[in-house]
Amino acid sequence: MLRPPCSTRRTALAACALLLSASFPASELQAQTGTKALVGGTLIDGFGAPPLRNSVIVIEGARIVDVGQVGAVAIPADAEVISTEGMSVLPGLWDMHVHLMIAGHTDYTHWDSVYPPLFESVIMPAAARQLLSAGVTSARDLGAPLEASIAVRDAIERGEIPGPTLYVSGPFIQHEPYPGTELFRWGVSGANDARAKVRRLAEAGVDVIKLIDQDQMTMEEVQAVVDEAHRHGLPVVAHSHRPEEIRRGLLAGVDNFEHTGLATAPEYPADVIEMIRARTAQMNLGPLYWTPTIEVLFNYEYIRDSWRELLDAPCWKEGLPDHVIEDIRTSLEHFDQLPYFQITPNRRPTLKRKFEQLREAGVVMLIGTDSGIPGTFHCQSTWNELDIWVNRLGVDPVEAIRSATYWPSLMMGVADEVGTISPGKYADIIAVRGDVTRYISLLQDVDLVIKRGVRYK
Ligand SMILES: [Zn+2]
């Protein structure tokens, strides 16, 4: 049995925070309440407008109070001036599909049997910290035990542990949990049970409902999940691996689909695309969102052939005890033989076509990664997704950044608070040396991370 360095829940989180915040000293974070001015950098504000040179952003406490160009914006006399000369300055990134409870280990059966006692106290806080260091100031966690999801989200919100602002689903809702996964997968049996399970999640305070394998449920069950979620003001996110998952999800009114599925099929069937077009034509329903989580499908062979070198980067170890690091490292031996990625090389040639079909059908694409799945790490996934969009799928860099900032905040209903750099919003801001509109992969090593006015990096 493992001995968690940060043991049982709740009381342990604060103690754990001390352990985890070596690079984020609490005294320093608390001292940062004054006025700051970020001066000189090129601002990409998240709305999609052309970058603004020689920008000034004035922050008071947790909020942005003024944005403009040098000379046009008054810098308060008492402001701490942070030079962003030569840097790209942009809203903190969102990752709309992370899994804090996993950390790149390749054996789910082993992970799910050994590590649940460490999820809340060690694994999820470490993942959160790694995301924040990578410039991810908001993240949507799609599938983890309920109490742990809420506890970690709230501990971050209270400033007890460092991490992105989290939006959590708690357990997946599906037809039947796979054996050994009942902690974070809830099966539903009939429409009444579906409503009851969603109500339990809503009353516990989740931010979103995650639906999967909806093609194995009855249509009444799927509809009950979506209706009950919407009744509580919660959006529904659903898998789209199979055509029938998409059809049922669309019929029921799912708000956001995840993944670019359909295995090795060359494209989405015509009737599915027709249904998507019919949905996106209904302006009153708002955008239909899609999180393709595509980077690992493009990067699989690179990870397979270079994982030893990739593991030399220290960021994925942050906050994890040595025995967990060693376990993950060992699990990556024979990455080439993992059934999980068996058909990935065959899927890749189909991805560009599927991505384009979705965009042509009018969906709004969101940056999300599935970070934590085998061979992927929370500190590396988000920039890789942006890189693939821009360099392999031909998305304009400013548009890709918009899909990692403005659109996610709108999707989660918080665009008035966060997601763009404009007066009144929370100061969630990152900066990196160089021009990200020219070299998006510069985002792999951000120089400055500010979340709610507090500088973490
Ligand atoms: Zn996932």
Side-chain angles (χ1 to χ4, degrees):
M1 185 62 200
L2 289 159
R3 286 332 259 340
C6 309
S7 57
T8 53
R9 67 163 49 109
R10 311 231 181 274
T11 51
L13 270 172
C16 212
L18 291 175
L19 189 88
L20 290 169
S21 57
S23 63
F24 305 124
S27 53
E28 196 182 302
L29 298 183
Q30 274 151 17
Q32 302 182 38
T33 48
T35 305
K36 293 183 186 67
L38 308 183
V39 181
T42 298
L43 172 66
I44 299 141
D45 65 7
F47 285 111
L52 182 72
R53 312 280 169 200
N54 297 316
S55 67
V56 178
I57 304 166
V58 181
I59 303 166
E60 261 177 39
R63 303 248 178 202
I64 297 163
V65 293
D66 209 352
V67 180
Q69 268 182 314
V70 173
V73 168
I75 299 170
D78 63 338
E80 175 200 353
V81 174
I82 298 169
S83 171
T84 52
E85 285 294 347
M87 300 175 111
S88 302
V89 182
L90 53 155
L93 302 175
W94 285 64
D95 192 316
M96 293 295 269
H97 193 132
V98 302
H99 292 289
L100 298 180
M101 59 164 260
I102 49 179
H105 198 288
T106 62
D107 184 345
Y108 282 125
T109 309
H110 168 77
W111 190 263
D112 294 345
S113 66
V114 172
Y115 290 107
L118 298 191
F119 283 173
E120 181 178 327
S121 55
V122 178
I123 307 291
M124 296 173 75
R129 172 192 172 152
Q130 291 178 16
L131 283 163
L132 185 62
S133 290
V136 177
T137 56
S138 303
R140 195 168 67 179
D141 187 82
L142 295 178
L146 179 57
E147 284 95 26
S149 301
I150 301 284
V152 172
R153 179 195 68 187
D154 292 353
I156 291 170
E157 186 66 25
R158 290 192 299 266
E160 291 167 14
I161 57 172
T165 304
L166 289 182
Y167 301 85
V168 303
S169 70
F172 301 71
I173 294 288
Q174 60 190 95
H175 173 56
E176 208 173 10
Y178 320 134
T181 65
E182 294 80 0
L183 260 181
F184 53 90
R185 296 181 184 277
W186 288 2
V188 299
S189 174
N192 285 338
D193 186 43
R195 270 188 288 274
K197 295 262 164 63
V198 171
R199 202 177 312 126
R200 214 175 122 198
L201 293 173
E203 283 165 2
V206 302
D207 306 285
V208 60
I209 297 296
K210 170 85 178 284
L211 178 62
I212 74 165
D213 296 346
Q214 60 271 18
D215 54 345
Q216 295 166 20
M217 298 164 82
T218 67
M219 198 56 219
E220 290 69 34
E221 290 167 340
V222 179
Q223 195 66 60
V225 168
V226 175
D227 288 349
E228 188 67 18
H230 287 170
R231 217 169 62 76
H232 291 273
L234 299 175
V236 179
V237 165
H239 264 187
S240 59
H241 283 305
R242 296 177 293 272
E244 193 57 21
E245 280 188 302
I246 304 171
R247 292 187 190 105
R248 290 184 171 216
L250 285 168
L251 284 173
V254 159
D255 305 281
N256 185 174
F257 288 94
E258 306 296 292
H259 309 304
T260 314
L262 282 73
T264 55
E267 58 179 18
Y268 289 101
D271 75 297
V272 167
I273 293 297
E274 271 317 304
M275 283 182 81
I276 295 171
R277 282 175 196 268
R279 165 61 183 81
T280 57
Q282 291 176 272
M283 195 173 261
N284 58 315
L285 296 179
L288 175 66
Y289 296 96
W290 212 288
T291 320
T293 66
I294 217 162
E295 69 97 355
V296 73
L297 303 175
F298 277 92
N299 286 325
Y300 164 69
E301 282 107 324
Y302 180 66
I303 299 170
R304 181 194 65 196
D305 302 339
S306 321
W307 65 267
R308 283 189 175 78
E309 286 68 35
L310 292 171
L311 290 192
D312 288 342
C315 72
W316 69 278
K317 300 175 202 161
E318 266 195 66
L320 292 175
D322 287 344
H323 66 88
V324 181
I325 293 169
E326 206 37 52
D327 193 8
I328 295 168
R329 183 194 296 280
T330 310
S331 82
L332 285 161
E333 296 282 352
H334 309 299
F335 192 69
D336 55 330
Q337 297 171 18
L338 275 190
Y340 190 85
F341 290 115
Q342 207 168 41
I343 63 164
T344 296
N346 309 62
R347 285 173 73 184
R348 201 187 39 247
T350 73
L351 296 171
K352 191 159 201 263
R353 170 72 183 140
K354 289 170 183 165
F355 189 84
E356 279 164 2
Q357 274 184 297
L358 291 172
R359 289 177 87 201
E360 283 164 16
V363 309
V364 170
M365 294 290 207
L366 302 175
I367 290 286
T369 57
D370 236 355
S371 75
I373 63 169
T376 72
F377 301 107
H378 299 288
C379 58
Q380 292 289 336
S381 290
T382 316
W383 78 263
N384 265 302
E385 184 78 12
L386 284 152
D387 180 58
I388 293 296
W389 282 32
V390 171
N391 290 314
R392 302 294 286 276
L393 297 168
V395 178
D396 174 79
V398 171
E399 194 190 328
I401 289 168
R402 194 175 187 221
S403 286
T405 55
Y406 170 75
W407 284 122
S409 71
L410 191 71
M411 196 277 144
M412 291 310 299
V414 292
D416 290 343
E417 295 285 340
V418 69
T420 47
I421 295 182
S422 47
K425 304 280 169 74
Y426 278 122
D428 285 5
I429 301 169
I430 61 172
V432 63
R433 191 154 296 287
D435 184 353
V436 298
T437 66
R438 178 94 181 166
Y439 306 107
I440 194 81
S441 64
L442 289 168
L443 286 169
Q444 70 189 277
D445 195 7
V446 294
D447 296 291
L448 176 75
V449 178
I450 293 175
K451 187 189 142 208
R452 302 223 169 151
V454 175
R455 184 175 178 176
Y456 286 87
K457 190 172 177 184

